[in-house]
Amino acid sequence: MVTLGIVANPASGKDVRRLVARASVFDNPEKQAIVQRVLAGMDGVLAGTDWKLAYLDDGHGIVRQAIADVLKDTVAVETVAAETGSAIDTTRAARALKQAGTAVNITLGGDGTNRAFALGWDDAPLIPISTGTNNVFPRLMEATVAGAAAGLVAAGLVQLEEVAAQQKIIRVAVEDESDDLALIDAVLVAERFVGARALLSPENLRSALLTVGDPAAVGMTSIGGLMSPLDQRTDAGLHIEFATEAGTATRVRAPIAPGYYRDLWVDACNNIEFGQTLRCSGPGVLAFDGERERVLKPGQTATLTVERTGPWVVEVPKALRLAAERGLFIERARPARSEARESQEGAIHAH
């Protein structure tokens, strides 16, 4: 029996950036519809086989109701109960899915949701579907084919190593506290409290370490991307030092949230090799993947490194293309033989 995992974050796509900026809203009925299409895609590949679904049973019943609508009682299920209504549930679910041995996992959320998942299972086989605010790590894709790709990999019809690439990750070691990580960016902010989690005040930015500098994205990654583009395939990170005033700094006009351009002043922007460490000190707040997370006390240090030990993200189009090339979705009919031909063959055999 193969097992697949699903985590749908009911809180993604609903933060303050809908009020201050112009981010899209993904409500829970839409997420449920997305999960329904994911399940239909999985079942389209795995129908007739023995498979199992493990999922985070959030308080809104997003996945639970989708299963009832699409799969009925045809598939065995295993649940992880949501207990806190916070990102901790996603991290707990990831640990449970790893223990359950899921072959592929699908997440619905933004960068923050996938970071929370990676905190529980850092090198998970993953198909991240975008339903959040900052969506550099997850992909915008049709959920039906995402589910089909998950089914193909889980069934071994295409191999994970054929269609997945391991992502970069930022490891964060905080002095005298537990370690942390980021998938896209780790930012030091000159503030003393977490407060509103979104990063919307460029004057408070002090430094940033990015795994990706993407000029076609929004958030911190856009700043690096507009200055020195860096893709996911390159074995390096990007370090940005912000300036508190213009002086001799470079001005960058970047979209730090959806529909929200701001001017920022940058002192330096340089590549950081794998294994090279960066240190920052408090007082301040560390933000990971677009959200404030950890307070650094005065004099407390954090050490940051970039490495390629993150999730294995499945390239959905590649998985479907390989399946098509192998004829996995078609069954060719045998050519019909004419009665005359059959009569002739019978005569030959008789003779």
Side-chain angles (χ1 to χ4, degrees):
M1 178 182 289
V2 297
T3 305
L4 295 92
I6 298 181
V7 171
N9 179 7
S12 68
K14 298 177 181 177
D15 66 27
V16 70
R17 283 164 286 194
R18 274 94 198 138
L19 301 176
V20 179
R22 298 175 177 86
S24 299
V25 175
F26 284 91
D27 60 21
N28 290 339
E30 174 59 21
K31 291 172 187 172
Q32 185 176 311
I34 291 171
V35 175
Q36 288 173 335
R37 297 197 295 273
V38 165
L39 296 176
M42 289 178 176
D43 199 45
V45 171
L46 297 172
T49 66
D50 196 15
W51 64 287
K52 179 179 179 181
L53 189 68
Y55 67 94
L56 173 63
D57 190 15
D58 68 273
H60 298 268
I62 293 172
V63 181
R64 183 185 346 116
Q65 187 57 51
I67 292 171
D69 293 342
V70 177
L71 300 179
K72 313 299 182 187
D73 297 321
T74 62
V75 173
V77 297
E78 178 179 334
T79 63
V80 180
E83 297 180 353
T84 69
S86 70
I88 294 172
D89 291 336
T90 297
T91 302
R92 286 181 56 253
R95 294 191 184 112
L97 295 181
K98 182 177 182 179
Q99 186 173 2
T102 50
V104 187
N105 305 279
I106 289 184
T107 55
L108 273 67
D111 292 339
T113 299
N114 286 284
R115 169 184 167 270
F117 192 95
L119 280 168
W121 187 357
D122 56 1
D123 61 348
L126 196 60
I127 299 179
I129 299 177
S130 173
T131 63
T133 306
N134 282 13
N135 297 298
V136 183
F137 186 84
R139 277 63 164 170
L140 284 168
M141 67 183 81
E142 168 48 45
T144 311
V145 294
L152 289 167
V153 173
L157 298 172
V158 297
Q159 300 301 310
L160 181 68
E161 55 269 23
E162 292 181 291
V163 297
Q166 190 168 28
Q167 307 298 289
K168 291 183 280 188
I169 204 168
I170 300 171
R171 298 285 182 185
V172 183
V174 181
E175 182 182 3
D176 298 326
E177 294 183 17
S178 60
D179 292 347
D180 219 315
L181 62 81
L183 296 174
I184 301 298
D185 54 69
V187 182
L188 179 64
V189 185
E191 296 174 349
R192 291 181 177 269
F193 306 99
V194 170
R197 302 174 74 85
L199 298 177
L200 299 172
S201 302
E203 66 276 8
N204 292 329
L205 302 177
R206 293 296 175 262
S207 65
L209 180 59
L210 315 177
T211 58
V212 175
D214 188 351
V218 299
M220 295 299 106
T221 188
S222 72
I223 303 167
L226 293 169
M227 298 189 71
S228 180
L230 179 71
D231 62 26
Q232 183 63 245
R233 297 184 299 273
T234 303
D235 288 344
L238 195 62
H239 180 221
I240 301 174
E241 287 287 348
F242 295 99
T244 55
E245 57 186 25
T248 59
T250 300
R251 186 178 72 174
V252 183
R253 188 161 181 79
I256 61 173
Y260 195 75
Y261 270 87
R262 286 297 180 269
D263 289 333
L264 305 99
W265 298 97
V266 175
D267 270 337
C269 180
N270 300 296
N271 277 14
I272 297 295
E273 301 301 320
F274 281 6
Q276 186 175 347
T277 60
L278 291 176
R279 288 182 174 82
C280 58
S281 300
V285 172
L286 286 172
F288 304 130
D289 297 329
E291 297 180 351
R292 295 176 178 87
E293 292 288 346
R294 302 282 291 268
V295 175
L296 287 181
K297 298 183 287 289
Q300 187 179 24
T301 62
T303 304
L304 291 74
T305 56
V306 181
E307 55 189 51
R308 193 174 297 282
T309 57
W312 288 86
V313 173
V314 175
E315 297 179 32
V316 169
K318 188 173 183 179
L320 271 294
R321 186 170 60 251
L322 281 178
E325 291 171 354
R326 294 168 184 173
L328 299 180
F329 288 97
I330 60 177
E331 182 177 348
R332 301 185 186 279
R334 294 182 179 180
R337 296 186 300 176
S338 68
E339 292 183 3
R341 177 65 176 171
E342 291 177 351
S343 176
Q344 183 181 18
E345 288 181 352
I348 292 173
H349 292 155
H351 179 74

